[in-house]
Amino acid sequence: MRIILLGPPGSGKGTQALRIVAKLGVPHLSTGDMLRGAVAKETPIGRAAKEVMERGDLVSDEIVIGCVLERISEPDAAAGFILDGFPRTLRQAKVFDAELEKTGSKLDRVLELKVVEAALFDRIIHRTRAAKADGLPIRSDDNPEAFKVRLDAYRTQTEPLVEYYHNCGLLRTIDGLLPVEQVTSCLLSELQL
């Protein structure tokens, strides 16, 4: 099953993806994690992305699309995947759809986690505090200034995907403010699992 999770930063995409991965038996592919890994390893993609990510801006379509296409060609993604954080733009969505079509595959479902903005800021503050308390590193893009940039980018660049995927008949919207377990249940229901 090939699934995309949509939603603003802090909406719970990563949390929910991890909760449904075991049920589906497909990998959770977070472009943010892939890019942060590349930054940590100081790969060419990582070096190109590092400065942009620290500001909270989006890396170029070419870098992201190349990273995703390379990853979904790996054997563990042959039966499908859950994409978290990609596509972020209408152009990325259209290029990705065309690339899937070239391989004779297509998306099965796009799941949107809907969360009001005030709750998003609260979640990021909580995530930062929890990381500090657990002695974990704090994401460089989890500061208020970078988060605002990420949220603005979501509104202008990613939110149009909601209409695009709705028009494709793939979109299902879930209230991301429900308790975590209930959100998971709604997602699985939308996947008919």
Side-chain angles (χ1 to χ4, degrees):
M1 188 162 244
R2 293 165 189 85
I3 301 162
I4 290 175
L5 288 178
L6 278 182
S11 62
K13 297 181 302 292
T15 298
Q16 291 301 325
L18 293 173
R19 294 177 66 89
I20 60 177
V21 161
K23 182 78 172 168
L24 296 179
V26 298
H28 166 223
L29 307 178
S30 165
T31 52
D33 290 346
M34 284 187 268
L35 288 168
R36 281 188 288 275
V39 167
K41 293 177 186 172
E42 298 185 359
T43 67
I45 286 175
R47 288 190 297 274
K50 182 178 181 179
E51 183 179 328
V52 176
M53 289 172 61
E54 286 180 348
R55 287 193 315 262
D57 291 336
L58 301 178
V59 297
S60 74
D61 286 351
E62 290 71 24
I63 291 173
V64 175
I65 292 168
C67 186
V68 171
L69 291 174
E70 182 176 278
R71 179 61 182 92
I72 66 169
S73 69
E74 293 180 18
D76 68 333
F81 47 80
I82 299 173
L83 274 170
D84 162 12
F86 177 87
R88 289 189 189 259
T89 66
L90 196 51
R91 178 178 179 271
Q92 287 178 1
K94 290 179 178 181
V95 169
F96 187 61
D97 287 349
E99 291 296 327
L100 285 177
E101 191 174 320
K102 286 180 189 176
T103 65
S105 62
K106 62 183 173 86
L107 292 171
D108 295 297
R109 187 72 71 226
V110 177
L111 302 169
E112 176 196 23
L113 294 175
K114 193 99 169 160
V115 179
V116 296
E117 287 188 18
L120 296 173
F121 281 99
D122 290 343
R123 284 182 175 185
I124 294 302
I125 290 167
H126 176 73
R127 181 165 71 188
T128 301
R129 286 182 183 154
K132 278 183 184 176
D134 292 342
L136 299 171
I138 297 168
R139 286 176 43 171
S140 62
D141 57 357
D142 267 359
N143 65 68
E145 296 79 24
F147 184 74
K148 183 180 179 325
V149 170
R150 290 169 57 212
L151 191 54
D152 289 344
Y154 176 80
R155 272 192 233 103
T156 59
Q157 297 178 18
T158 307
E159 211 165 51
L161 295 178
V162 171
E163 182 179 352
Y164 172 75
Y165 286 121
H166 173 76
N167 292 338
C168 293
L170 295 171
L171 184 75
R172 302 296 185 273
T173 301
I174 290 89
D175 180 355
L177 285 175
L178 295 171
V180 174
E181 296 79 13
Q182 203 171 346
V183 173
T184 304
S185 179
C186 290
L187 290 170
L188 294 173
S189 175
E190 290 295 347
L191 297 172
Q192 300 175 1
L193 298 173

